[in-house]
Amino acid sequence: MAIEARSITKRFGDYVALDDVSVHVPDGCLTALLGPSGSGKSTLLRVIAGLEAPDAGTVLIEGDDVTRRPARTREVGFVFQHYAAFKHMTVADNVAFGLTVRKRPKAATRARVAELLELVGLSHLGKRYPSQLSGGQRQRMALARALAVEPRVLLLDEPFGALDARVREELRAWLRRLHDEVHVTTIFVTHDQEEAMEIAEQIVVVNEGRIEQSASPAQIYDEPATPFVMSFVGPVTRIGDRLVRPHDVQVLTEPRDEGEQAVVTRIARLGFEVRVELLPPEGEPLTAQLSRAEFEQLEITEGQIVQIRVDPTGVTKEPASA
Amino acid sequence: MSRTALRTIALGYLAALLVVPVGMVFYRAFENGFGAAWDAVTTPPAQHAFFLTITVALIAVPANAIFGVLTAWVLAHYDFRGKRVFDVLIDLPFAVSPVVVGLSLVLVWGRDGWFPSTEVIFSTPGIVLATIFVSLPFVVREVLPVLEEEGTDQEQAASTLGARNWQVFWRITLPTIRWGLTYGIILSTARAIGEFGAVAVVSGKIQGRTETLTLYVEDRFQSLDLAGAYAAGVVLALLGVTVLAVMTLLQRRHGRI
Amino acid sequence: MGGLSVAWLTLIVLIPLAAVVVRSFDEGFGAFWDAITNPQAVAAIKLTVGVSFIVAAIDAVMGTLIAWVLVRDEFPGRRIVNGLIDLPFALPTIVAGLVLLALYGPTGPVGINVAYTRVALLLALLFVTLPFVVRAVQPVLMGLEREAEEAAESLGASAFTTFRRIILPALRPAILAGVGLAFGRAVGEFGSVILISGNLPYKTEVASVLVYGQIESGNTTGAAAVSVFLLVVAFVVLLGISFIAKRGADR
């Protein structure tokens, strides 16, 4: 087990940021800490890095108890949301920094820097200053800088949060490829569930200082442990007092025994899928998501009364407490 | 009111209050030729005053620079009870009358003071202490905003990369604050050179021993040696204007980066 | 490390100031009271505070006006003029006095001689306090969003009304902060006034000069007492500025 956080509690004054939180990250795994703002995910990352000291609990990296050790000695690579570039140094000097402070021989340092710059695609920018780089380039520099000293683990704090949507997507895929190549145990913090689902091998969902679930992306989506996880990670709608995924809502034009009636209040065609808003006679409005094919087969119109039921063969398992 | 009217009033005010008077001093100093002015300003007492002023500045400014960086660092990184009070107290030298500064030092180090000493009052150390007092806040006030704006991310990043505390300070913090530090030192130096009231009280104005350049100007004036006063005044004015010019130039260059 | 800074501040600033306070009460509260209520002291204090208020008021108006011209107007040499504003900071106070004397004193070329009058006092204090309001207002003025003014204009407001109702309220905290600093400086000013005002008791002698005279004549208790008064004024002004600045920032 490369990273283990056991029973971490962290308070800021009266505010409890982390409440008895435990996380395991296997060797070489790319894990996402996913949660809304203020959930404590960044705090947890910083506790693992040694940038914050927990009030209780232990942190182990590759079996070593590093809880009382400063960040400097933990051999962690940390990447900040706003890059934390050393503005007064060139890109090359930034990347070399960890090696420079360890007094490595200059030739070896230069070689390693060149190697890393090539890895992240910034070879031709070594002599520039961070202010002359785009946001995406700066973040790649930050990654190269963190990797230069061969850290045991790589920690990224909302690494793409400050970037444009398009750059974010590019870097997301790029990070995944980088991880496949370099295989460092990595944890990254994000509030974007799509990002987590797309690249992580393991997702840890954090909310209000507690872990809601820790599983693979498929399990998180199909077998959410709590209502929070279910609604955070994908779309949800309510039928009666059940929490259901809109694509698990079946719309039927012929009456059946189970299921209830509802009026179609709105149909929105969204390209490849169709969203149908329905209103049952007593109850809250709900949404069903149909594929184009399903929709065209049904031939329903607004105002029509239809039957709705939860697809019994639907994949999503309901959370324990709905 | 029309644009030209406002402009005229503003420029006229500045001319009458600032520009023309300063110009007059230069005129009066060189009225009888550059030679006469040079003679007036190179008399032994004048030379001594000049070197004393520079010496005092060379001690006071670095001392306050170190204090300033230290204090700014502490204020930017830590939260502690009484932090706001401490912050306000740092500005006290701005608000205290120079004469009161001088008096306070006499009451501490003078003959009837709390720590009587013959080495302080009427002597160079006293002048140094007075100068440190009045120029204390400048470096803090210039460096602190820079530290607060930059935040601690860079320093934390350096830490995770394995840098020890002093390495972080030397390689990351200092370069980050270099402009604020420079401005602070420049302003501090101008203040140190120009101090009058506190030094007037503390030094005893002993000509050739404890008379700084500013005291020398007053001395020449009171002795009805207007030429001497203007000449020395011009030296101080030139020092001041040079300080201004250097600041402006640096700010413009810095702004471009 | 924090301890070191506190220690430095205490040694250099706080202990000496404490000595002043202690000394002023050394001979009892009665002596303190006498020192600040004797006619000469009262005259000096009244003059000091009075002139400082007037100076602060003039600074408020002229400082805002100059800041306005520097930010909103364009003319050749504007950059140089902007740099000149800091001249009173760069010039030693004694030279400032000399400078004003050269133009407005007995040897002045334009025939104006206000030496040894209260006008001279006013001039000297206006000189040394010039930058405070200007420098406080400039950044705020530069950061103002024009949209509010444009909205007012589109609704039919005249330039003056727009200034009065939209711009001025936004500038008020900065003006007040600058005024506070100017007032605090004026109250304690020494070097620039001793040459030009003549230091005539009851007429042009300000509190700082009075204190100086008392030190020279060995009356340290009296000097300390008046100094404490000046210190209280300084402290009140500083707190006031801090409070106003905080309120302005909270907006």
Side-chain angles (χ1 to χ4, degrees):
Chain A
M1 196 60 60
I3 302 176
E4 225 187 300
R6 291 186 192 153
S7 303
I8 304 285
T9 300
K10 176 70 185 174
R11 274 180 224 97
F12 293 105
D14 286 331
Y15 173 66
V16 180
L18 294 169
D19 189 2
D20 197 25
V21 161
S22 298
V23 168
H24 310 284
V25 178
D27 219 5
C29 178
L30 178 57
T31 301
L33 290 181
L34 174 67
S37 296
S39 53
K41 55 194 192 300
S42 279
T43 310
L44 180 58
L45 195 75
R46 293 168 67 88
V47 165
I48 294 173
L51 295 171
E52 301 274 1
D55 295 316
T58 43
V59 178
L60 292 100
I61 297 182
E62 289 186 352
D64 292 334
D65 185 344
V66 297
T67 321
R68 300 281 154 241
R69 300 213 319 235
R72 182 171 44 89
T73 56
R74 295 194 188 193
E75 295 178 66
V76 294
F78 201 98
V79 173
F80 294 76
Q81 182 176 3
H82 296 283
Y83 330 123
F86 302 143
K87 299 181 186 171
H88 54 284
M89 294 185 199
T90 61
V91 168
D93 287 337
N94 260 271
V95 175
F97 185 81
L99 301 164
T100 313
V101 297
R102 283 171 176 72
K103 310 274 204 283
R104 297 279 169 80
K106 291 222 175 110
T109 304
R110 260 197 305 254
R112 180 99 177 108
V113 168
E115 189 189 321
L116 284 158
L117 285 180
E118 205 186 311
L119 179 68
V120 299
L122 295 176
S123 297
H124 54 298
L125 295 173
K127 295 223 188 308
R128 299 265 181 98
Y129 283 88
S131 58
Q132 297 168 294
L133 266 50
S134 71
Q137 289 169 328
R138 280 183 223 177
Q139 205 57 301
R140 282 189 274 154
M141 177 194 80
L143 259 157
R145 182 175 73 181
L147 289 171
V149 288
E150 292 175 40
R152 295 194 280 185
V153 301
L154 192 58
L155 306 171
L156 305 112
D157 191 354
E158 305 227 33
F160 311 133
L163 302 169
D164 289 338
R166 201 174 51 86
V167 181
R168 220 182 301 159
E169 272 177 41
E170 281 172 17
L171 281 186
R172 216 186 275 172
W174 176 84
L175 178 66
R176 179 75 235 197
R177 286 196 301 273
L178 185 71
H179 179 259
D180 288 341
E181 210 179 305
V182 176
H183 276 309
V184 180
T185 310
T186 305
I187 307 181
F188 75 97
V189 161
T190 181
H191 60 271
D192 182 347
Q193 85 282 1
E194 200 184 299
E195 186 167 282
M197 300 282 284
E198 193 182 309
I199 60 177
E201 292 162 336
Q202 175 187 246
I203 299 183
V204 177
V205 181
V206 187
N207 183 37
E208 291 186 353
R210 296 201 187 85
I211 308 280
E212 299 260 340
Q213 187 174 5
S214 181
S216 71
Q219 279 174 304
I220 294 270
Y221 193 84
D222 295 333
E223 297 168 39
T226 67
F228 174 82
V229 175
M230 185 163 179
S231 42
F232 192 78
V233 164
V236 289
T237 192
R238 268 189 186 273
I239 294 189
D241 54 0
R242 294 169 71 181
L243 212 55
V244 167
R245 295 250 183 257
H247 54 70
D248 286 341
V249 176
Q250 270 190 331
V251 176
L252 310 155
T253 44
E254 295 142 23
R256 296 256 188 111
D257 288 331
E258 350 88 75
E260 32 184 306
Q261 289 197 329
V263 178
V264 175
T265 53
R266 204 168 107 84
I267 299 175
R269 295 180 137 89
L270 300 169
F272 55 89
E273 64 190 31
V274 180
R275 196 181 300 155
V276 181
E277 287 174 30
L278 305 144
L279 185 64
E282 300 131 19
E284 299 289 303
L286 61 125
T287 313
Q289 200 164 300
L290 309 171
S291 70
R292 268 182 76 179
E294 287 172 335
F295 176 72
E296 267 150 30
Q297 229 186 13
L298 289 170
E299 289 179 0
I300 52 177
T301 55
E302 283 182 17
Q304 187 174 344
I305 297 187
V306 294
Q307 197 110 15
I308 52 172
R309 68 167 189 181
V310 178
D311 185 348
T313 65
V315 184
T316 313
K317 207 173 97 182
E318 278 166 64
S321 45
Chain B
M1 265 205 257
S2 82
R3 171 170 289 209
T4 17
L6 286 177
R7 191 192 305 173
T8 318
I9 297 176
L11 294 181
Y13 185 77
L14 290 174
L17 191 62
L18 227 52
V19 182
V20 179
V22 174
M24 275 308 299
V25 163
F26 277 82
Y27 175 70
R28 285 263 179 261
F30 296 116
E31 207 173 17
N32 299 318
F34 187 75
W38 181 256
D39 287 337
V41 107
T42 48
T43 66
Q47 288 191 26
H48 177 268
F50 181 78
F51 287 118
L52 179 63
T53 302
I54 301 291
T55 308
V56 168
L58 280 175
I59 303 174
V61 171
N64 274 330
I66 296 173
F67 161 78
V69 172
L70 198 71
T71 306
W73 201 92
V74 169
L75 283 175
H77 285 84
Y78 298 115
D79 249 327
F80 51 89
R81 251 172 6 137
K83 178 172 161 171
R84 261 200 76 203
V85 174
F86 185 53
D87 196 42
V88 172
L89 287 178
I90 292 175
D91 278 339
L92 264 180
F94 282 154
V96 177
S97 173
V99 192
V100 177
V101 173
L103 175 65
S104 71
L105 288 171
V106 169
L107 290 177
V108 173
W109 306 102
R111 218 162 24 115
D112 303 319
W114 286 357
F115 309 116
S117 163
T118 52
E119 299 299 320
V120 181
I121 307 299
F122 304 146
S123 188
T124 308
I127 300 177
V128 171
L129 280 174
T131 307
I132 292 180
F133 189 125
V134 300
S135 54
L136 188 109
F138 287 102
V139 175
V140 183
R141 286 292 164 236
E142 290 293 322
V143 169
L144 184 58
V146 176
L147 279 179
E148 285 181 333
E149 185 166 330
E150 278 303 327
T152 50
D153 273 4
Q154 284 188 50
E155 290 166 345
Q156 287 181 354
S159 230
T160 60
L161 288 164
R164 316 185 84 88
N165 283 341
W166 61 268
Q167 281 175 314
V168 174
F169 182 79
W170 185 253
R171 289 178 182 274
I172 306 296
T173 316
L174 267 187
T176 304
I177 61 171
R178 69 184 186 282
W179 288 116
L181 186 57
T182 308
Y183 297 149
I185 289 180
I186 290 177
L187 291 171
S188 190
T189 309
R191 185 74 180 85
I193 291 175
E195 176 47 36
F196 177 75
V199 180
V201 171
V202 147
S203 68
K205 303 188 194 175
I206 307 168
Q207 205 185 65
R209 282 262 314 273
T210 61
E211 203 177 56
T212 61
L213 205 49
T214 49
L215 293 175
Y216 180 76
V217 170
E218 190 215 6
D219 168 72
R220 290 295 86 210
F221 184 84
Q222 306 288 27
S223 313
L224 301 178
D225 175 11
L226 281 188
Y230 283 132
V234 160
V235 172
L236 284 167
L238 279 172
L239 280 170
V241 167
T242 312
V243 161
L244 253 193
V246 170
M247 270 289 277
T248 316
L249 268 160
L250 281 181
Q251 275 174 331
R252 261 205 245 150
R253 250 192 37 181
H254 175 209
R256 282 212 199 113
I257 291 184
Chain C
M1 268 226 292
L4 262 172
S5 347
V6 176
W8 180 256
L9 182 71
T10 309
L11 180 68
I12 298 289
V13 175
L14 298 179
I15 291 184
L17 290 181
V20 175
V21 179
V22 169
R23 185 79 184 84
S24 65
F25 291 108
D26 233 10
E27 293 170 17
F29 189 74
F32 181 91
W33 188 250
D34 286 340
I36 58 174
T37 51
N38 78 70
Q40 194 180 358
V42 170
I45 291 172
K46 270 166 81 172
L47 177 66
T48 305
V49 176
V51 171
S52 300
F53 264 122
I54 297 175
V55 165
I58 298 179
D59 277 337
V61 173
M62 290 308 300
T64 308
L65 192 152
I66 293 173
W68 179 270
V69 170
L70 284 175
V71 174
R72 292 286 176 98
D73 200 353
E74 283 199 19
F75 51 89
R78 184 175 62 138
R79 278 237 205 99
I80 300 179
V81 175
N82 189 39
L84 283 177
I85 302 292
D86 284 327
L87 200 57
F89 281 160
L91 229 50
T93 51
I94 188 74
V95 178
L98 203 64
V99 151
L100 289 167
L101 209 52
L103 186 59
Y104 299 114
T107 58
V110 280
I112 305 176
N113 182 10
V114 294
Y116 310 143
T117 67
R118 293 184 172 184
V119 176
L121 200 51
L122 197 72
L123 275 180
L125 294 177
L126 283 174
F127 186 100
V128 298
T129 57
L130 176 78
F132 289 113
V133 175
V134 180
R135 290 304 187 220
V137 169
Q138 263 180 308
V140 179
L141 204 48
M142 286 196 282
L144 273 188
E145 281 164 13
R146 298 298 202 104
E147 285 160 354
E149 294 167 54
E150 288 164 1
E153 255 186 72
S154 70
L155 289 164
S158 72
F160 183 64
T161 311
T162 309
F163 179 77
R164 197 164 58 91
R165 286 180 177 279
I166 310 283
I167 299 175
L168 207 51
L171 298 179
R172 199 181 300 136
I175 298 179
L176 286 175
V179 159
L181 287 170
F183 181 81
R185 176 66 193 268
V187 159
E189 180 55 26
F190 178 72
S192 62
V193 301
I194 62 156
L195 292 188
I196 198 170
S197 72
N199 316 315
L200 308 167
Y202 302 102
K203 284 197 53 199
T204 60
E205 185 184 49
V206 291
S208 61
V209 175
L210 177 70
V211 169
Y212 185 70
Q214 286 171 324
I215 299 173
E216 298 278 277
S217 59
N219 178 9
T220 42
T221 313
V226 179
S227 296
V228 165
F229 171 77
L230 283 180
L231 275 175
V232 166
V233 172
F235 208 65
V236 166
V237 166
L238 265 185
L239 281 179
I241 296 172
S242 179
F243 178 69
I244 292 171
K246 189 166 185 298
R247 244 189 11 155
D250 284 344
R251 288 242 201 105

